[in-house]
């Protein structure tokens, strides 16, 4: 995945990347409006592809490492890299939707775990804590810290709630390539790893399991799911370091607006 030296971005490049990130944000907002019991993940995938192309982007995952679709859609025990299919969503499901866009030569890549209908309170808590751990990681993304400080912030928050932190899959640098250096693990030690500098742009993406951290992969060669088949959540933002501080290029606001309008 993420290989080579970190490619720091100029302010101009970060502004172009913000547009890519926001097209992903708007696509996820569209998903929020359509996710409900009875809808299939393949229907969501088609909507997303059309929306991205209509808005001047290209689906970032489609064909990347030969992935077959626009969205990675991972319900319930699936963690990431689920392939859209024609199974209707059911009341009480959770659904992680990860979306990538390539526009003006730069990628956007972020994700949200949605609730389908009425979700069990214990699962709602998992979503809440996973999202909080993302923001703890973002808060640590500043000059003076190292990548390990981000990892530590995510891990310690999730584990304080007794959840399992997925270790095999990680966040990453983002730019003209979807997966650049550095790797941003969701577990780690304070003060370890590369120093955080201005111009760093990373996708931070905790993947947190309600049960144990252990994972499996399905025979489709893509889908990653929990070994104990308990639910897993995934939230991701694109974050740039500007003037020493983290700036979130993506936003969940389109999602919140769509959910409020439902
Ligand atoms: Mg992603
Ligand atoms: Mg990513």
């Amino acid at each position: 995945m993420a290989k080579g030296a970190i490619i720091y971005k100029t302010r101009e490049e970060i502004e172009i990347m913000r547009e890519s990130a926001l097209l992903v944000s708007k696509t996820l907002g569209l998903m929020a409006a359509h996710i409900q019991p009875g809808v299939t993940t393949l229907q969501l995938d088609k909507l997303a592809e059309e929306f991205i192309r209509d808005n001047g982007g290209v689906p970032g995952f489609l064909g990347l490492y030969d992935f077959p679709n626009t969205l990675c859609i991972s319900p319930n025990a699936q963690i990431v890299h689920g392939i859209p299919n024609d199974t209707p969503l059911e009341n009480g499901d959770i659904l992680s939707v990860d979306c990538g866009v390539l526009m003006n030569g730069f990628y956007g890549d972020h994700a949200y775990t949605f609730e389908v209908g009425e979700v069990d309170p214990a699962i709602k808590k998992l979503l809440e804590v996973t999202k909080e751990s993302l923001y703890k990681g973002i808060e640590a993304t500043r000059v003076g810290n190292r990548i390990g400080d981000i990892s530590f912030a995510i891990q310690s928050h999730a584990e304080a709630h007794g959840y399992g932190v997925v270790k095999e899959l990680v966040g990453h640098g983002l730019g003209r390539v979807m997966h650049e250096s550095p790797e941003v693990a969701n577990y780690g030690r304070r003060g370890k790893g590369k120093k955080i500098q201005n111009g760093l742009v990373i996708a931070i993406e905790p993947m947190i399991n309600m049960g144990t951290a252990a994972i499996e992969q399905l025979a489709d060669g893509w889908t990653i799911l929990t070994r104990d088949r308990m639910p897993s959540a995934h939230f991701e933002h694109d974050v740039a370091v500007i003037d020493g501080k983290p700036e979130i290029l993506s936003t969940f606001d389109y999602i919140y607006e769509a959910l409020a309008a439902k």
Side-chain angles (χ1 to χ4, degrees), residues 77 164 209-216 225-232:
N209 299 345
M210 190 175 232
T212 68
I215 67 165
E216 277 180 21
L225 72 172
T226 58
R227 190 171 297 167
D228 60 13
R229 301 300 188 265
M230 287 179 75
S232 182

Side-chain angles (χ1 to χ4, degrees), residues 61 98 109-110 170-172 174 178-179 203 205 234 236 238:
F61 297 160
D98 196 349
D109 168 28
H110 78 109
V170 297
H172 50 92
L174 187 71
M178 173 71 79
H179 298 117
E205 48 179 316
H234 177 215
E236 179 177 21
D238 299 334

Side-chain angles (χ1 to χ4, degrees), residues 71-94:
L71 301 177
C72 292
I73 306 193
S74 312
N76 303 321
Q78 294 187 11
I79 302 165
V80 287
H81 302 166
I83 299 174
N85 62 30
D86 54 12
T87 307
L89 299 177
E90 290 182 27
N91 186 54
D93 284 348
I94 56 167

